[in-house]
Amino acid sequence: MTKRKLRSRVKRKLRDWKTNCWIPVVEQRPGSAMASKFSGIPVLKRGEDWPTCGQCGQPMPLFVQLNIDQLPPAAKPRKTDQGMVQFFLCTNEKCDTTHYAKKPAFLARLLTGEQLAQAASTRRRPAARIGPEKVIVSWRRRHDYSLCEAYLKLTEKELAAFRSSWYRTDGFPIWGDKLLGFANWLQDPDYPRCPICSKEMDCSFFQIISKCNLPYMFGDLGNGHILVCAEHPEQLDFRWDCY
Ligand SMILES: [Zn+2]
Ligand SMILES: [Zn+2]
């Protein structure tokens, strides 16, 4: 079999385990409250105080916020979608940021387009901060693969062809901060259930890796996952895991 034929056969076989993800391209500088960014001052609901930790009561730094309007068009379920996905996490070492805690030490949410239209931020300084602010200025699209399942479908020869053609040194699913794609779990996947439809929230909306764009570690070099229900985009949750 020619190399080309082998490659196209591998491509065909991997189709079901392939998807797109987008890597944020950042500039280290402050952005407006409506910007997609890591750290800094978030947009807040009208009249809302800075979100605080359910355990220690301290303001939680903004880890990331993503303005749906500024996402790559192909990453948006509908062209007209608007809103802001936000993720805050308490960095107090005493607080339990896992979902086992009775009171959450994180907040993952969607501000609707309507809430955004009414929002105003008059803050000059963040109430809490995690590292320098980085504005997301563009996105780099990459193919992502969920290889655990895919490996089982490939012969040894096909796997070798795949590795030499597409496999990067960091492997798949892609390691790093990324929009959509497959979640890079270090332990068994741990998807929460949607409080509305009870289905597993197995869409990885955004992955945050230890020490990538933020100077923070989830446990021992763990990975954080902002997860969303496929049918209820306003239902967001968060999990992290490490070795
Ligand atoms: Zn706390
Ligand atoms: Zn749901």
Side-chain angles (χ1 to χ4, degrees), residues 194 196-199 229 231-232 235:
C194 170
I196 297 176
C197 65
S198 304
K199 286 188 188 142
C229 173
E231 280 162 47
H232 302 101
Q235 293 301 322

Side-chain angles (χ1 to χ4, degrees), residues 119-130:
S121 188
T122 50
R123 281 194 161 268
R124 295 218 159 162
R125 283 172 186 213
R129 179 193 282 278
I130 173 84

Side-chain angles (χ1 to χ4, degrees), residues 52-60 89-97 104-106:
T52 52
C53 170
Q55 291 165 40
C56 70
Q58 293 300 305
M60 296 185 285
L89 182 93
C90 182
T91 52
N92 184 341
E93 278 176 20
K94 290 183 188 141
C95 292
D96 178 0
T97 54
F106 65 84

